[in-house]
Amino acid sequence: MRLILLGPPGAGKGTQAKILLEAYGIPQLSTGDILRSAISARTPLGLEAKAVVDRGDLVSDAIVNGIVSERLDAEDCKPGFILDGFPRTIAQAEALDQILAEKGVRLDAVVEMTVNPDELVRRVIQRSKESDGARADDNEDVLRKRLGIYQEQTAPLVAYYRGKGLLKTVDGMEPVESVTAAIKAAIAQ
Ligand code: AMP
């Protein structure tokens, strides 16, 4: 199963990816998580990305494409993977097409999770309280910027994947278990 979870910050991509990885026995590949661990470990990648991530901008396509391409070569990605937070631009989606073509594999589905903007803000503020401010980008100002970038740069992926016949849309406002069930049903179609 090769899956992309698509949706704005706070849509529940990470939550669902963690549930689905157990159900399908495939890894979650979150570019945000990879960048955050590089930042806390102060690797060269982390040092380069920190300011960009903290202010809510997108890290360059070259950097994230490289992260994903390398990660997909790992043995645990052979049976499949769940991409969470990548691709985020049309250029990244095109790069992913090329990466997958080179590896001789195809995506099975792209699941778009829709949640209304007020609820996104509520969830991210809640996440920041629960994590005790661990994510510098989970405050209201930076979040609004991230939502704007999502609308401008990531939302066009909905049409991109619809055009490829891969898009499934689920209502991310439902309780976690219902969203999981809806994703499983959409994938099984
Ligand atoms: P996330 O955990 O997916 O919300 O990502 C947190 C931050 O990491 C984003 O606001 C970006 O700064 C950076 N990031 C994560 N994934 C990507 C990506 N695919 N392209 C560019 N920047 C990314």
Side-chain angles (χ1 to χ4, degrees):
M1 173 68 57
R2 298 184 188 88
L3 200 64
I4 294 176
L5 295 182
L6 189 62
K13 302 183 297 295
T15 302
Q16 292 299 330
K18 285 183 177 63
I19 298 171
L20 295 168
L21 69 87
E22 299 228 352
Y24 296 115
I26 51 177
Q28 169 194 18
L29 206 170
S30 156
T31 41
D33 283 351
I34 293 170
L35 289 165
R36 278 185 290 279
S37 5
I39 291 170
S40 47
R42 296 173 199 263
T43 65
L45 165 67
L47 295 174
E48 190 178 347
K50 182 176 172 21
V52 181
V53 172
D54 283 357
R55 66 172 186 264
D57 283 324
L58 293 186
V59 172
S60 76
D61 289 340
I63 289 183
V64 288
N65 293 345
I67 292 175
V68 170
S69 176
E70 197 183 312
R71 179 68 184 84
L72 287 177
D73 279 335
E75 197 57 34
D76 64 335
C77 290
K78 292 265 148 61
F81 49 79
I82 303 166
L83 281 168
D84 154 13
F86 180 93
R88 256 179 160 92
T89 63
I90 294 284
Q92 290 178 17
E94 289 171 349
L96 178 63
D97 287 343
Q98 201 178 332
I99 291 166
L100 295 178
E102 280 163 12
K103 299 183 197 302
V105 297
R106 282 169 179 275
L107 290 170
D108 293 295
V110 177
V111 178
E112 177 199 15
M113 301 170 64
T114 58
V115 173
N116 76 39
D118 288 347
E119 173 66 7
L120 293 174
V121 175
R122 194 195 65 75
R123 289 184 186 180
V124 172
I125 301 300
Q126 180 69 25
R127 176 168 75 189
S128 116
K129 283 184 191 144
E130 281 165 8
S131 68
D132 223 3
R135 279 185 65 166
D137 60 343
D138 269 356
N139 65 72
E140 196 157 345
D141 286 346
V142 177
L143 172 63
R144 297 223 179 260
K145 180 171 180 187
R146 287 159 63 207
L147 291 174
I149 291 176
Y150 182 85
Q151 281 315 321
E152 277 168 31
Q153 304 212 43
T154 311
L157 295 182
V158 170
Y160 181 85
Y161 286 117
R162 186 181 291 125
K164 290 180 178 286
L166 289 170
L167 190 78
K168 321 273 182 192
T169 301
V170 303
D171 180 0
M173 296 289 286
E174 296 287 317
V176 172
E177 308 75 55
S178 313
V179 177
T180 307
I183 294 174
K184 286 182 177 171
I187 294 171
Q189 268 172 19

